Amino acid sequence: MAKKRMIQAINEALDGEMARDPKVVVFGEDVEISLFGDTRGLKDKHGAHRVRNMPISETVMSGMAVGAAAAGYKVVCHMMFGNFMYTGFDSIANQASKLRYMTAGQIALPIVYMGVFGGGRSAAAQHSDAMHPMIMNLGGIKVALPATPADAMGLLRSAIHDPNPVMFLQAAGRGGEQGEVPEGDHVIELGKASTVQEGDDVTVVAIGAMVRPAMRAAQELARAGIGVDLIDPRTVVPLDSEMILDSVRKTGRLVVVDEARDMCSAASHIAAICADQCFDALKAPIRRVTVPDVALPYSPPLEKALLPNVASISKAVRRLLGKAAEEGA
Amino acid sequence: MAKKRMIQAINEALDGEMARDPKVVVFGEDVEISLFGDTRGLKDKHGAHRVRNMPISETVMSGMAVGAAAAGYKVVCHMMFGNFMYTGFDSIANQASKLRYMTAGQIALPIVYMGVFGGGRSAAAQHSDAMHPMIMNLGGIKVALPATPADAMGLLRSAIHDPNPVMFLQAAGRGGEQGEVPEGDHVIELGKASTVQEGDDVTVVAIGAMVRPAMRAAQELARAGIGVDLIDPRTVVPLDSEMILDSVRKTGRLVVVDEARDMCSAASHIAAICADQCFDALKAPIRRVTVPDVALPYSPPLEKALLPNVASISKAVRRLLGKAAEEGA
Amino acid sequence: MSVASSDVNFSDEQMLGFYRDMLRIRRIEERIGDDAKAGNIPGAVHLYIGQEAVGVGFCSQLTDDDWIASTHRGHGHFLAKGGDSKLLMAEIYGRETGMCKGHGGSMHVADFSKGIIGANGIVGAGISIITGAAWAAQMDGKGAVGIAFFGDGAANQGVMCEALNVAVLWKLPVIFVCENNGFSEFSPSSTVTAGNIVDRAKPYGAAHEAVDGNDLIAVHQCAARAIKHARAGNGPSLIEARTYRLRGHVEAEVSFLGSKYRSDEEVAEWIARDPIPAFAKRVIDAGQASQADLDRIEAEIAAEVTEAVLFAEGSPYPDPATQGTNYMFA
Amino acid sequence: MSVASSDVNFSDEQMLGFYRDMLRIRRIEERIGDDAKAGNIPGAVHLYIGQEAVGVGFCSQLTDDDWIASTHRGHGHFLAKGGDSKLLMAEIYGRETGMCKGHGGSMHVADFSKGIIGANGIVGAGISIITGAAWAAQMDGKGAVGIAFFGDGAANQGVMCEALNVAVLWKLPVIFVCENNGFSEFSPSSTVTAGNIVDRAKPYGAAHEAVDGNDLIAVHQCAARAIKHARAGNGPSLIEARTYRLRGHVEAEVSFLGSKYRSDEEVAEWIARDPIPAFAKRVIDAGQASQADLDRIEAEIAAEVTEAVLFAEGSPYPDPATQGTNYMFA
Ligand SMILES: Cc1ncc(C[n+]2csc(CCOP(=O)(O)OP(=O)(O)O)c2C)c(N)n1
Ligand SMILES: Cc1ncc(C[n+]2csc(CCOP(=O)(O)OP(=O)(O)O)c2C)c(N)n1
Ligand SMILES: [Mg+2]
Ligand SMILES: [Mg+2]
């Protein structure tokens, strides 16, 4: 194990996969110099034909990923900010997510669409969406949202190996986050959640960047005698609903923390699954800690107030356990 | 009241609003001749400047709607099939849904994006998406899904009057459907659900094209002594959650029928709201009758099997009531 | 014997091959049209009838390693690139034995083993996909090319310009073939398309050429130049082939359109310029074939059509119990 | 006295006005840059420094009834079109008193009452929006125009071609102003842009002109022609103004980029062509103003900058208890 920054873990995963498999290619706007650092140095190591800067043309870009993948390459298509996906959305929503199905499995489409998502840095409405629910609803695209450097490396490797389109969403501003990363070929299977912390009183499912505040909240709650079973799904497609259901069957209570806008969020969906499949185990309402249905604001205090955080997660859990009084809320 | 076809009701709503308000304009691909008939005849009546054919250029089209609305027009932008929205998605997802918010309410954006959605006609994957959940998750766009000619007329009128972007989604192939439409200026407020049928045993919320099979199922279930409270939300943004919650508080049971793919569907969200806000009233798991997470197939028997229908709705209700045995399932 | 048509000599066999390829598309599609009218085909059907010379002119010079991307009007390209008529017909009939096991239908016929990326229900979508496939071909370094066929309407999708730009910069072996049939659905080109489409290549410095899309030999020669250019690593071309669809935009249109969008005279004019009879005459006039040869081809194709339809009709629908949710993920 | 610069005479007052408008943008943005470096500004900041002649050249000929749409680099256009510096500064500081009450920030400053549709975080997005606004202006019939400012990078978004096509067909009063500063973020134009951007108007038959974007008078004259063309109902123009951004793509770039993407020599060359000193020299050389005049303007602007910053700094942040969820729907 070695401590690594998130962005370094991503960079090493790309580097390692490019070294292992000559079919892996990376393209996107400014991937050569690399805005976030995740693709930095790849061109020098792996050649100008495999690491290519694109013009600002998301429409053709997202579709080129489909064509190059259909023709046998493992394509990493860097969309920079997730919001720019909308500009090239047809090839994601109508092509990548459907082409294999429409042709009855004639092809595999090993594409990784990468992008930064979510708020927290005053990037304002057009650079802060959490678009994983929308992609989930498309059905044909896997979605990975790593919460730690180790998961970023392991999930990205799996995403590149995967014969299907995978949306790999990096949390905005978390590139500098440090964490232990196993040596060697660290791979994490898509569709396997992780139990961040065990507890018996309440299940908290936290997605992507929400895992960190949820962890802090869980620690704080532990001091108050509340045991949180904290689950990080790591991928929402496939979703490890079994692990979530098992946990809720144990605790009887569920809070889902999601950085998406509330309506039709991943939180909604996880809540719906549990309200359906482990209803009898439920001792309390299912709570969602999500973003209100607004485009995120720029001003730091406004933005901060709208994003889930340690306090709002704690509060939701305490209320669920009828301990609202204790926190004076 | 007079019997009218759905498409005629839509056409009359457009015609009436254009006659009333010279600021109402309609544009889109082939809106002059009109593929579906909904915009037919409008050019002759209201002039070539107010009813304009667009080149096949969804990207500029969806954005022109934003600009023309910001500049004072009430813009009806016909996207033809809902799936073509993805081609012009930036202006919907990054602009129309956010511009008012980002500018702190400096402008209103009275836009109606129209399109046909959903399956049932072997239009295959790229013409059959139900994209309302994705739009719901954007937050800044209202979404209307009329189930009857009367609602189509009333909701469309309200959508045109509304100062906000509204996605008006017509169910594929339902244009010929007949129904009674009130005379005069029939308007239905956005955000008001309708109780299609009252009952005490189970609440069924059915969206858009799903209302009809849900009604048939409810009638069938009534003969078996099962009372269905059938609710058609009519708009999912705003969502009349009060009416839904009140019903579930009465019945204790909920089945949501949605033509969207299951993951992060409107069904998921409605289920999540109820699992949160009326948990104590629930006597049984919340069930979703939705489309599996696939792109819809072309072949009629395959497609039929994947869409919710009278049988699958009935079955979900019977199972919920523990009457599975009776139907031999 | 061979005919010299501006520099190119085609053998009798080649000429008959072109004729066969065009006629095969025509007859198969006529049958599809009849079947659609008879209500035997689910979904929408867009026929390529009248435009066959374009698809055949290009695809007859490609191998299975070359890629094509097509449109909603894609049967012709599928067949011209070597697609199987039985598998096509069964697909359009929505049967289990179809090329896409009934999952795709008319607008999504594809055969990746033959380099047919497929028809596409989204106007313009094939342009970006083929650009990516051409990038793959370039990296493979084996001289394969990618061709996107699309309509004049699709040329107004901004993606065409994005693709021209990147293809020129990267020198991609790609050919953008715009089949200008004069209409975007029911809108005449002049009302929705400014200027000449072929000129849109110029600002990017892409090779470009306009060609009579109803003249198979002209198309073939033009295609040969563009393909050579691409295979040689010289980058993309934009070809505008002027042609006409002799059928409706979609077979069902008469039943739902309230008015006409083109005159009978215009249609008649273009029927007179139908690429297939013109080509037949040319072959016969040049003495490269006899009427008997053509009749034999006609008969062979008739047999193929019958066989394809029998195959489709005799095939089961896919079984919802085991099909329909299988292919989302590999 | 007035200077005759290819046909156009500008009064002393006008010349000083141009100078003031450019310098005002410069000084306000220099301060924004300093504040960003000092960590006083949340979010990303993209400065217009070096490109002021373009925004001023165009906007000085517009009224509040004309529309402009801008980019991520939008402060200059906002100010040139009459935006208030206090409201701008407070917005960038994220304060309640900002133009957008802190909801938008640097990339979303807008003032609809002045025809400023706003900056935009999505490259190319303003192009379609302004096309719609121009359609509205056409319907209004009062001679208003719409102008989209965008970069050379944005010119590779297909939407530019879609907009040119529809604007020509509908004869929309719209001007597409491409400010070619040589870079898409960190990619030099030559690596991402094929051919000359201005030529992209040609296939559509749109009016077009290339201009030295660092020469205010040249820009002004070019703008005058395009605006006249639009107001007269003759349709769109595409203008390519060659310029350079003297600052980074984004103010923070030195802190996160691993390498340089342009040479010091190149930057020095363009500093030598800085539009503002050049214009100052021109005014003085022509005897249209004295150094004292310029100094007075400098002092006035310094006061405005100070006032704007004090206003921003002294303003409260919006209160999350009452703000933040108010403006999604009207
Ligand atoms: C993105 C998108 N927009 C609109 C449509 C609807 N549509 C189908 S075919 C067509 C016209 C296409 O015209 P053209 O590209 O000239 O091809 P043609 O039909 O003439 O062969 C349109 C508008 C679509 N399928 N996809
Ligand atoms: C759709 C979209 N893609 C990518 C980006 C990221 N981005 C922001 S500015 C920029 C470069 C823009 O270049 P240009 O249009 O030349 O404008 P300049 O920055 O030079 O003024 C890019 C790629 C974006 N904001 N939006
Ligand atoms: Mg056409
Ligand atoms: Mg630039």
Side-chain angles (χ1 to χ4, degrees), chain B residues 189-207:
Chain B
E189 196 180 328
L190 305 181
K192 294 280 171 236
S194 90
T195 301
V196 180
Q197 172 188 309
E198 292 191 38
D200 291 323
D201 298 317
V202 57
T203 300
V204 172
V205 175
I207 297 168

Side-chain angles (χ1 to χ4, degrees), chain A residues 302-321:
Chain A
L302 282 191
E303 186 185 29
K304 196 160 168 242
L306 294 177
L307 294 171
N309 57 35
V310 179
S312 62
I313 298 167
S314 274
K315 190 165 155 187
V317 170
R318 283 170 188 267
R319 287 215 169 144
L320 201 57
L321 289 157

